Amino acid sequence: IHVLAIDESFSMRSGTRLADAKREALRWIGGKGNARAQVMALGQGTRLLTQVERDPAVLRAAVESIQATDGK
């Protein structure tokens, strides 16, 4: 099982940090084959955005939904 943990803290608003992180996660999803993965966002806490999943569409949607927060 792979975990895609993306920082959604305020610091990710700087430059292209969040866009870069999301792009790399989406790149990995595109090449993962049949591997199982889970997406989570890390900021003020940990938010699980998916269960353990094989469907790349579900994983992509979760990654694309992440927005930088106002908190640390």
Side-chain angles (χ1 to χ4, degrees), residues 19-39:
D20 293 345
K22 290 167 70 170
R23 183 182 64 248
E24 286 301 311
L26 293 170
R27 183 185 62 76
W28 184 86
I29 291 167
K32 75 172 189 63
N34 198 32
R36 297 183 313 153
Q38 184 173 30
V39 178

Side-chain angles (χ1 to χ4, degrees), residues 2 28 32-37 53-55 59:
H2 299 272
W28 184 86
K32 75 172 189 63
N34 198 32
R36 297 183 313 153
E53 182 64 58
R54 289 186 195 274
D55 185 346
L59 298 170

